[in-house]
Amino acid sequence: MYRFAIFGLLALLAACAAPQEQRLYLLEPPRASPGGPIEASVVAVRAVDLPAYARATAMVHIVEDGSVQQSDVARWADDPARAATVTLANQIADRTGVDVVTEPWPSDARPEAVVSVLIERFIGALGGDLTLSGRYSITGADRRSERASSGFSIVTPTQGPGFEGLARAHGVALDTLAAQIVENLR
């Protein structure tokens, strides 16, 4: 009887110690509203530069003491820098109706404007706010003539509980950034 109790206790402990199922999240922004025309017919978006903690596939969040924590179970379904770049490009294309290419763009693409984005902070608290801040610049095709340069600081509430809400907030913040960039492309 004693052996059965030990085996039962060991089985219970093993079940408690079993790793949680990993969850993958997509970076999905809300549907972009079409806007008016811009000055360029082809726009190029360079690969978005993310801080080291935001490049990890493990989702991160900030906690009350200000430290950044990585989740053991919540992961991005795609490389975060690639997903941010593609999301921005798609949102700009949807808002403007022009062709938008990403790095490395096709050799036959002739971008009239090149967008570069440096993200300095891209993190939120579970059930709190998400902050997206940094700088972007828009240059001409020759990459020497700067058309616009601006800092940005976007704060958006998480869009629901847990990592699901945090993932949605990432998409909303990138959509807001795309809207700001489009205004400077006009």
Side-chain angles (χ1 to χ4, degrees):
M1 184 70 141
Y2 178 71
R3 288 184 200 182
F4 292 117
I6 290 177
F7 286 126
L9 182 59
L10 288 174
L12 180 63
L13 287 173
C16 291
Q20 291 181 323
E21 184 177 316
Q22 194 173 80
R23 293 194 166 182
L24 300 176
Y25 294 92
L26 295 170
L27 184 55
E28 295 187 285
R31 181 176 220 153
S33 303
I38 61 171
E39 293 180 17
S41 61
V42 178
V43 174
V45 176
R46 291 189 166 288
V48 172
D49 189 1
L50 293 172
Y53 64 83
R55 280 186 248 135
T57 56
M59 288 184 71
V60 297
H61 63 284
I62 197 160
V63 295
E64 286 183 23
D65 68 2
S67 64
V68 174
Q69 291 188 354
Q70 277 190 335
S71 171
D72 292 333
V73 294
R75 304 260 187 257
W76 290 111
D78 194 0
D79 173 72
R82 179 192 174 291
T85 303
V86 169
T87 297
L88 275 177
N90 289 340
Q91 293 302 93
I92 292 168
D94 289 349
R95 288 177 181 281
T96 63
V98 303
D99 290 332
V100 180
V101 296
T102 59
E103 255 185 339
W105 46 84
S107 59
D108 63 341
R110 303 280 182 251
E112 296 169 34
V114 178
V115 177
S116 299
V117 179
L118 170 66
I119 294 177
E120 297 166 356
R121 185 177 176 99
F122 200 10
I123 194 165
L126 296 176
D129 290 334
L130 176 127
T131 301
L132 170 62
S133 62
R135 298 199 59 75
Y136 69 85
S137 65
I138 302 170
T139 59
D142 61 4
R143 297 188 194 157
R144 285 181 233 136
S145 60
E146 188 166 86
R147 295 173 51 175
S149 180
S150 181
F152 58 89
S153 183
I154 298 164
V155 177
T156 186
T158 55
Q159 307 294 300
F163 286 102
E164 299 88 6
L166 188 59
R168 283 192 294 274
H170 277 79
V172 169
L174 284 172
D175 178 60
T176 303
L177 177 58
Q180 290 179 16
I181 291 169
V182 166
E183 284 304 311
N184 277 305
L185 285 167
R186 291 201 156 90

